[in-house]
Amino acid sequence: MKQLLNIALLLYFSVGFSQIKSDTIKLEPDTIKLQSFEDSKVLFSNGDTLLLKNTDTLGFKEHVEATLIDSLWLHELIKSPLYDTIQYVLKDDEILITELEELPTELLKERLALLDSKTPFHIEYNPELEQIIKTYLKRRKSSFSTLMERARFYFPLFEEQLDNYDIPLEMKYLAIVESALRPRARSRVGATGLWQFMYQTGKQFNLNVSSYVDERSDPYKATEAACKFLASLYKIFGDWDLALAAYNSGPGNVSKAIRRSGGNTNYWNIRHNLPRETANYVPAFYATLYIFEYANEHNIKAKESTLAYFETDTVQIKRQLTFEQLYETINVDIEVLQFLNPQYKLDIIPYVKDRNYTLTLPVKDIGKFLSNEKEIYAFADVEDAKREKPLPQYVEENSRTTYRVKSGDYLGKISEKFGVSVSNIKRWNNMRSTRLKIGQRLTIYPKRVNTVTNSKPQKTTKKPLPIGPHEIYTVQSGDSLWLIAQKYSNVSVQNIKDWNNIWSVKSLKPGTKLKIFKI
């Protein structure tokens, strides 16, 4: 398609604005044939025809390249724009008119010129871009430090896919403008994920959404879909700046801007005719690119706490598993599981025949999972047999408590306070995600209640310790109650909890002494 566009543009400019003659451009696989007719036509290989009338004789202008872009886009059947994303696109009243001693204008011009020479984008200095960069540096330095931390994980993943699709590696910065590298980011109109796909656009690129899974939040699948989308845009426009603009506002708006600009196809020449958000979108991308490329010069450092991409690996699961079951068995924190597997909306990895649902884990835990896979599934069978019942009838009404969510709360933290599972809290409160709001009221049926705001301590019956011989086990790094139970015959996780008065697995720390009785 890029070949078709280039030939059409060459033909258009060679005959001049007022000398457009009628030609048919016939598109067949890898070939283009030109035939002369009275009116201009674009004949697609599937039989579709676009008629380009020679309207100059009527006193009207027809920008053939813009019309051709429209037709190619319709032919691609990609109509849904990705938009309304964007916390890194500054509003007009947010841009500071400021000077920075660390970045005089002449130095910025030199650096932008160097970036322009190294990339296929048209990175040109202009005063507005300068003020966006300086506003970021003045107001958002700490935010970029956080972004650089997240980028340690996501950028290698992006670069791998971008390279596969022959897309400039600098396009990885687009995900910052779109989502601030938050895979569960959701805009006010429903665009979701690192690359902010709308529902229909996601479906078009095979990103499925169900009650359990939103593949728009899957870092691997969504990145591949974004690459396919960007590659198709580049085929239409033949220009990465215009592809960026079309990614944001849709190709139709870019085509309109080309027409309103007299047929110009340079982004900077059509920018004033683009929607305001899109007009600021590409400069936001350039500003982000600049700050990442010159982070050292501006003393912006990434934190070192996030997992690196190479420190993770993926396995395909063979039955439904919950994050809580994985935490209980191989001792991977639920927060880590959520970070590595954000596509699972309910912290549950479903198992569906003929669908390949995968689990991403730190490399150090992959071996532990594979070595104990059958036992983990058996544990999940036992746990599911307990949990797949309606709200327990044995729970008395007066044992129910209401908890009001406070700042800093998350479901894992609340579940520990009450000695219950995250999945039960979600089930009791008909929750489809783990998101909480300050002041939100949660119904809890606690097993054991600590001193917690908005809750009353409940009386519990303590099981007496068994009388008999026992040994002391010292908890090692990486241990879980389940892994410890596997070392002894006929000992369950609940046994160890009861014998050692453990109500939260979080209390299991290296060096902890546990009593293990012989059964």
Side-chain angles (χ1 to χ4, degrees), residues 140-151:
R140 300 193 176 185
K141 256 190 175 180
S142 60
S143 296
F144 275 93
S145 181
T146 300
L147 288 168
M148 292 182 72
E149 175 190 358
R150 295 173 188 166

Side-chain angles (χ1 to χ4, degrees), residues 78-97:
I78 301 173
K79 300 175 183 177
S80 302
L82 301 182
Y83 60 96
D84 183 55
T85 45
I86 317 229
Q87 61 170 315
Y88 280 86
V89 174
L90 297 173
K91 297 177 181 176
D92 291 341
D93 59 0
E94 292 182 285
I95 298 176
L96 298 174
I97 307 301

Side-chain angles (χ1 to χ4, degrees), residues 111-375:
R111 289 176 176 176
L112 291 176
L114 180 59
L115 289 176
D116 183 61
S117 69
K118 293 163 57 177
T119 74
F121 299 95
H122 302 118
I123 305 175
E124 300 178 9
Y125 169 83
N126 63 64
E128 185 172 346
L129 177 58
E130 177 179 22
Q131 293 309 317
I132 292 172
I133 291 171
K134 290 182 175 178
T135 301
Y136 282 169
L137 290 172
K138 191 135 185 156
R139 288 187 169 176
R140 300 193 176 185
K141 256 190 175 180
S142 60
S143 296
F144 275 93
S145 181
T146 300
L147 288 168
M148 292 182 72
E149 175 190 358
R150 295 173 188 166
R152 291 182 69 241
F153 180 80
Y154 289 114
F155 276 9
L157 184 160
F158 295 165
E159 289 170 349
E160 190 173 66
Q161 292 285 3
L162 291 167
D163 181 60
N164 285 343
Y165 285 87
D166 200 24
I167 295 171
L169 299 186
E170 293 86 359
M171 198 64 81
K172 63 191 176 188
Y173 299 117
L174 179 60
I176 291 177
V177 181
E178 289 289 345
S179 67
L181 297 181
R182 292 180 294 117
R184 288 184 174 177
R186 187 177 178 86
S187 78
R188 69 177 183 271
V189 296
T192 299
L194 289 163
W195 300 94
Q196 290 289 282
F197 278 95
M198 297 294 287
Y199 179 83
Q200 290 299 336
T201 314
K203 291 286 286 184
Q204 186 177 328
F205 288 98
N206 299 317
L207 297 178
N208 295 311
V209 179
S210 70
S211 297
Y212 281 114
V213 183
D214 189 338
E215 292 182 344
R216 296 174 297 174
S217 293
D218 185 316
Y220 305 92
K221 292 183 178 179
T223 299
E224 183 175 16
C227 289
K228 290 178 180 178
F229 192 19
L230 287 164
S232 68
L233 288 167
Y234 184 71
K235 286 180 182 178
I236 300 303
F237 292 98
D239 180 278
W240 286 115
D241 297 298
L242 297 184
L244 277 172
Y247 191 94
N248 174 244
S249 67
N253 282 323
V254 177
S255 181
K256 290 173 188 174
I258 290 173
R259 283 192 171 87
R260 288 168 179 159
S261 304
N264 290 320
T265 56
N266 181 292
Y267 168 79
W268 294 103
N269 293 334
I270 71 168
R271 181 170 176 259
H272 63 286
N273 283 315
L274 288 167
R276 173 176 289 186
E277 183 183 89
T278 308
N280 294 330
Y281 179 84
V282 176
F285 171 82
Y286 290 148
T288 302
L289 187 156
Y290 168 83
I291 289 176
F292 265 76
E293 294 294 322
Y294 286 96
N296 287 337
E297 287 78 357
H298 292 288
N299 197 30
I300 300 174
K301 306 292 183 185
K303 300 173 185 176
E304 294 294 331
S305 58
T306 300
L307 279 168
Y309 180 56
F310 67 84
E311 295 176 308
T312 65
D313 202 354
T314 300
V315 293
Q316 186 175 328
I317 66 150
K318 299 174 183 175
R319 75 153 339 261
Q320 179 172 295
L321 289 173
T322 69
F323 288 2
E324 187 179 357
Q325 288 164 351
L326 291 164
Y327 175 51
E328 289 273 355
T329 53
I330 58 175
N331 201 28
V332 180
D333 282 347
I334 288 177
E335 291 81 5
V336 173
L337 293 169
Q338 290 171 338
F339 173 77
L340 295 177
N341 303 273
Q343 66 271 32
Y344 299 118
K345 296 156 67 173
L346 303 179
D347 293 352
I348 296 171
I349 310 167
Y351 177 78
V352 179
K353 188 177 180 181
D354 299 326
R355 295 296 302 274
N356 297 326
Y357 289 119
T358 59
L359 168 67
T360 301
L361 291 170
V363 168
K364 64 183 181 65
D365 297 306
I366 283 284
K368 195 187 299 183
F369 178 88
L370 293 174
S371 297
N372 298 280
E373 191 169 10
K374 290 182 180 178
E375 291 80 6

Side-chain angles (χ1 to χ4, degrees), residues 6-17 19-21 23:
N6 289 339
I7 291 178
L9 292 175
L10 180 62
L11 178 65
Y12 170 67
F13 286 115
S14 65
V15 299
F17 281 94
Q19 300 295 325
I20 300 176
K21 299 298 180 183
D23 296 287

